[in-house]
Amino acid sequence: MYTIEMAYARMRELQELAGRSRAHQPSAASKRVPKKAAKKR
């Protein structure tokens, strides 16, 4: 069974990976959100 919680966790995982792969680009610094602010629920 695939739950909303599982989908949400997967989405967060992908966003984190995307953020890490973007980290070496100069524009990434301005787009980055602090972890505390990003974990809004």
Side-chain angles (χ1 to χ4, degrees):
M1 190 169 142
Y2 196 72
T3 65
I4 297 292
E5 284 83 10
M6 288 163 72
Y8 182 80
R10 182 70 182 132
M11 186 185 70
R12 291 289 304 151
E13 243 176 69
L14 290 172
Q15 281 179 340
E16 212 174 292
L17 280 173
R20 253 185 264 145
S21 65
R22 266 202 321 259
H24 65 274
Q25 292 177 13
S27 61
S30 57
K31 286 181 194 168
R32 252 180 145 168
V33 184
K35 274 217 165 163
K36 281 180 190 170
K39 258 194 170 176
K40 230 169 158 187
R41 203 162 184 228

